[in-house]
């Protein structure tokens, strides 16, 4: 699909500017931008920073958080073209923030916190998948 069709100044996406609280504004950077170059710069910086963190093996969860913010912005910017699979991917990417890389075990407290966050992420992913399959089965019945 053509980039300018979705992210350009004459995009097909309707934009209605509304006042957002400060904590919601990072999720709408691409939707509320009137510049053609800002989405390219935003996406480039986001992916390059995630790639750098992933290669340097500093913080595994930070990579997923950065990618999740990027996907939220893309989904909010092209919301009229999305399907349920796009939203499911967004949710699963959020839950993967809680998963552990299995490497960082510095202290007993941080190790226990890491295991707790990892187990919470696993439970959330399983519940999400169960909900998806339940509604898919209910729709088929």
């Amino acid at each position: 699909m053509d980039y300018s069709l979705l992210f350009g100044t004459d995009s097909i996406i309707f934009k209605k500017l509304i006042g957002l609280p400060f904590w919601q504004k990072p999720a709408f950077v691409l939707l509320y931008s009137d510049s053609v170059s800002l989405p390219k710069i935003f996406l480039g910086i986001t992916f390059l920073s995630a790639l750098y963190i992933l290669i340097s093996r500093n913080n595994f969860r930070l990579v997923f958080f950065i990618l999740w913010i990027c996907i939220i912005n893309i989904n909010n910017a092209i919301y009229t073209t999305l399907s349920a699979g796009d939203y499911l991917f967004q949710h699963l990417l959020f839950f993967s923030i809680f998963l552990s890389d299995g490497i960082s075990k510095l202290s007993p407290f941080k190790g226990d916190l890491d295991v707790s966050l990892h187990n919470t992420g696993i439970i959330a992913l399983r519940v999400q998948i169960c909900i998806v399959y339940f509604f898919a089965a209910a729709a088929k019945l």
Side-chain angles (χ1 to χ4, degrees):
M1 189 171 255
D2 189 19
Y3 177 83
S4 62
L5 185 65
L6 296 176
F7 296 106
T9 54
D10 297 325
S11 68
I12 60 171
I13 308 300
F14 174 72
K15 296 179 183 181
K16 181 180 179 185
L17 300 177
I18 58 171
L20 293 173
F22 74 95
W23 55 274
Q24 289 180 348
K25 287 183 181 179
F28 294 93
V29 171
L30 295 180
L31 180 63
Y32 290 150
S33 72
D34 290 329
S35 170
V36 177
S37 60
L38 179 66
K40 292 178 184 177
I41 293 169
F42 175 77
L43 293 173
I45 289 173
T46 303
F47 284 122
L48 287 176
S49 61
L51 185 64
Y52 171 75
I53 294 169
L54 189 62
I55 289 172
S56 65
R57 312 266 306 157
N58 283 342
N59 195 344
F60 186 70
R61 289 185 174 109
L62 186 59
V63 172
F64 280 110
F65 179 74
I66 290 171
L67 292 176
W68 176 67
I69 289 291
C70 183
I71 295 299
I72 280 182
N73 272 285
I74 292 171
N75 285 352
N76 287 338
I78 57 172
Y79 62 92
T80 56
T81 63
L82 298 180
S83 65
D86 297 308
Y87 292 114
L88 179 63
F89 174 68
Q90 180 180 329
H91 286 92
L92 295 178
L93 191 58
F94 172 75
F95 291 135
S96 67
I97 294 172
F98 298 101
L99 299 180
S100 174
D101 60 353
I103 296 173
S104 56
K105 304 283 190 246
L106 301 174
S107 67
F109 174 73
K110 287 185 180 180
D112 292 342
L113 181 64
D114 187 54
V115 168
S116 298
L117 284 174
H118 179 77
N119 290 343
T120 303
I122 293 293
I123 290 170
L125 285 168
R126 287 181 178 176
V127 167
Q128 182 74 30
I129 297 297
C130 288
I131 290 171
V132 167
Y133 277 114
F134 172 77
F135 281 108
K140 290 181 181 182
L141 289 176

